Amino acid sequence: VTLTVNQSICMETYTDTVYVTDLDCDIPVPNVITPNGDSHNEFLVFQNLQNFPGSRLVIYNRWGNKLYDDPDYRNNYNGKDHSDGVYYFILYVSDGRVFPGFFQILRGKGS
């Protein structure tokens, strides 16, 4: 992409190049986290979510009770205060897509 700016006062033209990278729009949905302190798979990470700031993550337990609601999720949920088990989520991506799903928390397990 080339950006050209014309300044009419001095009758000069300035040209600069702006590089635009392709954004990866795919958001793979994880299905397990193992927050056991081994630095692997500690958080519920949706790859490429950083390309969509303002995405909301809501997590529910198996009875449908809301446990977590972050209107600007940044891949930082680690299951703190929640026991091992299956949980359900809805990820509302800021571009309008909605990803419902489930994941499992497994502590004391390897990645």
Side-chain angles (χ1 to χ4, degrees), residues 44-61:
L44 185 62
V45 174
F46 296 88
Q47 292 178 9
N48 304 316
L49 193 62
Q50 71 276 5
N51 296 328
F52 304 96
S55 295
R56 178 180 177 204
L57 178 66
V58 183
I59 297 176
Y60 302 89
N61 65 13

Side-chain angles (χ1 to χ4, degrees), residues 1-61:
V1 175
T2 301
L3 174 65
T4 303
V5 178
N6 293 318
Q7 185 179 18
S8 61
I9 296 173
C10 299
M11 302 303 281
E12 295 182 20
T13 301
Y14 300 96
T15 303
D16 199 356
T17 303
V18 177
Y19 296 99
V20 178
T21 59
D22 290 332
L23 293 180
D24 194 342
C25 294
D26 291 337
I27 300 179
V29 177
N31 63 3
V32 67
I33 62 173
T34 57
N36 57 10
D38 69 357
S39 299
H40 297 288
N41 212 24
E42 299 289 314
F43 300 94
L44 185 62
V45 174
F46 296 88
Q47 292 178 9
N48 304 316
L49 193 62
Q50 71 276 5
N51 296 328
F52 304 96
S55 295
R56 178 180 177 204
L57 178 66
V58 183
I59 297 176
Y60 302 89
N61 65 13

Side-chain angles (χ1 to χ4, degrees), residues 52-57 70-74 76:
F52 304 96
S55 295
R56 178 180 177 204
L57 178 66
D70 188 340
D72 189 15
Y73 185 61
R74 298 183 183 191
N76 56 350

